[in-house]
Amino acid sequence: MFAKAFRVKSNTAIKGSDRRKLRADVTAAFPALGTDQISELIPGKEELNVVKLYVHKGDSVTVYTSGGNPILFELEKNLYPTVYTLWAYPDILPTFITWPLVLEKLVGGADLMLPGVVVPPTGLPQVQQGDLCAIALVGNRAPVAIGVAAMSTAQMLASGLKGKGVSVLHTYQDHL
């Protein structure tokens, strides 16, 4: 989604009421985050901006930034964490593991295909089709991409790990 440059429509500071609404939305979207972690992510008094963007495909995306770093983005009324947020809170999403060589393909705009997924000894994370998930590299638990599961874990295993596994939305080193 952010593989190509985007156009900024507006960049404004967030109001107190919108900040409270964002906290409630984050709590609902990511129940694994505790109250303290949400307070760290969306601070009470520090600068928090809302940036409205148009990506190259024409979609309108709302990005929430704190201290100049994007922390969350909203697309079609769905809230997604950025890679920077997942570095601080790596356990809020189920994570698929892939090889370092796959990262450059993901940054170029490709989706994660199942033959590139490394199956850990504990098995694949349990996801349903459409669930939000993270992608990390072998030997590094810090996520490098965020996407939506293209099929459930059961369908992935039934297909013999062939086909598209995750539709990638945002990666490390993209324009966001």
Side-chain angles (χ1 to χ4, degrees), residues 143-175:
V144 295
I146 293 142
V148 176
M151 58 177 86
S152 69
T153 304
Q155 291 170 317
M156 290 177 190
L157 295 172
S159 71
L161 292 180
K162 301 247 185 283
K164 185 191 302 187
V166 178
S167 298
V168 175
L169 297 172
H170 161 56
T171 64
Y172 169 66
Q173 293 181 329
D174 66 7
H175 286 270

Side-chain angles (χ1 to χ4, degrees), residues 13-79:
I14 195 167
K15 296 185 294 199
S17 59
D18 290 338
R19 189 184 299 251
R20 285 189 296 277
K21 182 181 179 315
L22 180 61
R23 273 200 187 133
D25 291 346
V26 169
T27 303
F30 310 111
L33 281 176
T35 309
D36 294 343
Q37 293 171 319
I38 290 174
S39 295
E40 287 173 21
L41 183 63
I42 304 165
K45 298 290 180 195
E46 292 177 30
E47 184 180 349
L48 189 66
N49 286 5
V50 180
V51 183
K52 295 192 189 291
L53 310 172
Y54 287 118
V55 293
H56 68 280
K57 291 180 181 175
D59 296 335
S60 178
V61 179
T62 303
V63 179
Y64 297 95
T65 63
S66 176
N69 288 327
I71 54 170
L72 300 162
F73 65 96
E74 188 174 3
L75 175 67
E76 298 171 356
K77 302 291 182 200
N78 292 325
L79 206 56

Side-chain angles (χ1 to χ4, degrees), residues 75-89:
L75 175 67
E76 298 171 356
K77 302 291 182 200
N78 292 325
L79 206 56
Y80 302 98
T82 62
V83 169
Y84 303 106
T85 301
L86 289 181
W87 289 346
Y89 311 104

Side-chain angles (χ1 to χ4, degrees), residues 69-134:
N69 288 327
I71 54 170
L72 300 162
F73 65 96
E74 188 174 3
L75 175 67
E76 298 171 356
K77 302 291 182 200
N78 292 325
L79 206 56
Y80 302 98
T82 62
V83 169
Y84 303 106
T85 301
L86 289 181
W87 289 346
Y89 311 104
D91 299 324
I92 63 173
L93 295 178
T95 304
F96 288 92
I97 310 294
T98 190
W99 301 103
L101 293 173
V102 175
L103 177 60
E104 67 184 65
K105 304 290 186 206
L106 298 177
V107 171
D111 290 329
L112 181 64
M113 305 305 279
L114 290 175
V117 173
V118 176
V119 181
T122 56
L124 291 174
Q126 294 300 313
V127 296
Q128 295 300 317
Q129 184 172 353
D131 282 359
L132 196 55
C133 49

